[in-house]
Amino acid sequence: MRKIFIMLLFLLFTGIVYAGNNKSLDAVISAASDKLDQGIPRDKVIAVLNIKSDSARLSDYIIDGLINSLLKTGIHKVVDRNSEDAQIIKNELNYQYSGEVNEETAQQIGYSTAAGAVVSGAVERMGESYILKIKAVSVETREILVSWNTKIADSDDVDCMLSSAGSVAAKRYAVRGFSAGAAGGIQTGINDNGKIFSDTETVFTQAGCNVKETNYTSFTGRVFIKYTRSPGFGFQTEFFYWNGGKEAVASSSSETTGAVKIKYYSFDVPVLISFSFPIVKTTVSLLAGVDLSFPQKGILYNSLEDGSTDVTSGSVLVPGFIAGIDYTVPVSSQFSILIGFRYLRDFIPYLVKKSDATTFDSALTRSCFNFDAGVQFLF
């Protein structure tokens, strides 16, 4: 278990470092300008045609940034945004913020201006990150001279520009905000013995029996809500249904001579810190935090006594440690497929009391794994 804990801490640290290395919006614009300077022949005048996004402010910011960066290097001449040529693009063709630009359209617009190469692009949401795509097309040949994209770090500036668009899509794309989802799967693990198991197994062993322990594998389900506050960093709370337990069966000469079994149900509320980062077009979220378990019901079977019976839970709250990974594959800007893994370890044992008993005894301490799959929505 120590190895698993160390591995999860390492992954969380890796996520923090990765998030810290994300490029800012200004750095991405500068990198895009360098790509354009490298890919477009020096004799061509460049017109930055459009950047498609859900915010006029964001489109303007990127267009102005590209033009200023290109002018700073001095490798190419650039069509001035305030010139007559730029007004043709902006007013008559209306491509600045939302138009789709293909090679034919780029060539047509280029002929109506002095440009020898036109640049277009888009800001797209991919998982919990933004991607800037840039394309440069030769007016004369329709040849794609540059095709480049990279991740934009989730910054306050980007959030502000997108939210200012006032559209449903802009609110949906805003990184700073909420997402929610649901998942179902299976749990299994190694539950440490409490006094009930230990005492009964001692009786079996003293009687010369072989004792075999088995941990139950069962179905679980969870719903969650996540709040992303800054680049790669956020909080997540889950409502988790857990059911499980274990059994110890004693046998002698291949015959079962006795058994002790316990199964209980609980509702768990993990409170997690998350670090998210993209891998190609998907997103990995590393999570760790505290699990608050609220036991609901327990069933104890002991063949040395009166068989199966309901037991009273003596644990109102069982705190524990929880860590895991969520892997999301975006299907659209608002909907993703989710695959999750969790490791849960209780700090204290689960206590129960039989109906005819006067004291509570420890039953078991959970140490289990959960694998599930589900969906996640952005809103």
Side-chain angles (χ1 to χ4, degrees):
M1 298 304 170
R2 181 178 296 178
K3 291 181 179 179
I4 295 173
F5 180 71
I6 293 173
M7 180 186 70
L8 290 170
L9 287 180
F10 173 76
L11 289 173
L12 284 171
F13 176 76
T14 303
I16 296 171
V17 173
Y18 189 98
N21 289 333
N22 288 338
K23 293 181 179 179
S24 67
L25 178 57
D26 288 337
V28 168
I29 292 172
S30 179
S33 173
D34 291 341
K35 292 292 182 181
L36 293 172
D37 275 334
Q38 295 167 13
I40 299 175
R42 286 174 174 263
D43 61 337
K44 292 187 180 296
V45 177
I46 297 176
V48 182
L49 188 63
N50 83 309
I51 299 295
K52 180 182 177 183
S53 78
D54 286 289
S55 165
R57 287 182 61 193
L58 180 58
S59 295
D60 280 337
Y61 188 89
I62 296 174
I63 292 171
D64 287 337
L66 286 173
I67 292 174
N68 290 335
S69 293
L70 290 167
L71 290 173
K72 188 178 295 185
T73 62
I75 297 176
H76 294 90
K77 292 183 179 180
V78 184
V79 175
D80 187 347
R81 290 193 70 190
N82 297 319
S83 67
E84 182 178 348
D85 287 343
Q87 291 303 314
I88 293 175
I89 297 172
K90 182 178 178 180
N91 297 330
E92 295 185 14
L93 300 176
N94 195 29
Y95 280 115
Q96 185 172 2
Y97 305 128
S98 60
E100 294 290 347
V101 180
N102 54 31
E103 288 77 11
E104 182 178 356
T105 303
Q107 187 180 49
Q108 177 188 357
I109 294 173
Y111 281 149
S112 65
T113 68
V118 293
V119 175
S120 62
V123 176
E124 297 180 358
R125 181 68 184 269
M126 191 61 64
E128 296 186 359
S129 304
Y130 297 113
I131 302 293
L132 173 62
K133 296 182 178 181
I134 294 292
K135 181 172 68 174
V137 178
S138 169
V139 171
E140 183 179 358
T141 65
R142 298 189 187 180
E143 176 189 2
I144 297 177
L145 302 173
V146 176
S147 180
W148 181 80
N149 63 79
T150 191
K151 178 180 178 294
I152 305 173
D154 301 334
S155 69
D156 290 340
D157 290 338
V158 175
D159 288 340
C160 180
M161 292 178 196
L162 284 174
S163 63
S164 69
S167 66
V168 174
K171 294 177 181 177
R172 185 171 70 228
Y173 289 177
V175 169
R176 173 172 289 187
F178 291 93
S179 60
I186 60 173
Q187 72 80 26
T188 187
I190 303 172
N191 300 296
D192 294 345
N193 290 345
K195 187 175 185 299
I196 291 175
F197 276 96
S198 298
D199 289 352
T200 307
E201 289 186 12
T202 298
V203 174
F204 289 150
T205 303
Q206 290 176 348
C209 299
N210 295 318
V211 180
K212 180 181 179 181
E213 293 186 356
T214 303
N215 291 276
Y216 296 139
T217 297
S218 56
F219 292 101
T220 61
R222 64 182 170 107
V223 295
F224 66 88
I225 185 166
K226 181 176 182 179
Y227 175 64
T228 304
R229 181 173 176 81
S230 62
F233 175 77
F235 300 94
Q236 183 164 318
T237 299
E238 301 178 348
F239 189 70
F240 195 95
Y241 171 71
W242 190 92
N243 73 95
K246 70 180 301 181
E247 64 179 43
V249 178
S251 61
S252 178
S253 301
S254 301
E255 294 182 1
T256 300
T257 58
V260 58
K261 307 175 184 180
I262 189 165
K263 187 169 186 178
Y264 84 95
Y265 309 86
S266 70
F267 290 113
D268 288 37
V269 182
V271 180
L272 303 159
I273 295 174
S274 68
F275 295 96
S276 303
F277 56 92
I279 295 181
V280 190
K281 295 184 179 181
T282 63
T283 300
V284 173
S285 298
L286 308 176
L287 308 107
V290 177
D291 179 72
L292 306 176
S293 179
F294 301 90
Q296 302 299 305
K297 179 183 178 182
I299 300 174
L300 174 67
Y301 172 81
N302 191 335
S303 63
L304 298 181
E305 299 178 6
D306 301 324
S308 178
T309 180
D310 289 346
V311 291
T312 301
S313 172
S315 304
V316 178
L317 172 64
V318 178
F321 167 78
I322 186 169
I325 300 174
D326 280 345
Y327 178 70
T328 55
V329 180
V331 177
S332 67
S333 60
Q334 199 173 14
F335 173 74
S336 297
I337 300 297
L338 168 72
I339 300 172
F341 163 79
R342 297 287 185 275
Y343 168 68
L344 168 65
R345 171 73 181 186
D346 288 337
F347 293 145
I348 59 176
Y350 168 56
L351 303 177
V352 298
K353 181 178 71 173
K354 293 178 291 185
S355 57
D356 58 346
T358 58
T359 60
F360 289 96
D361 289 325
S362 59
L364 53 81
T365 302
R366 294 181 302 172
S367 180
C368 56
F369 303 92
N370 185 80
F371 304 89
D372 60 21
V375 295
Q376 175 176 301
F377 298 92
L378 300 175
F379 61 93

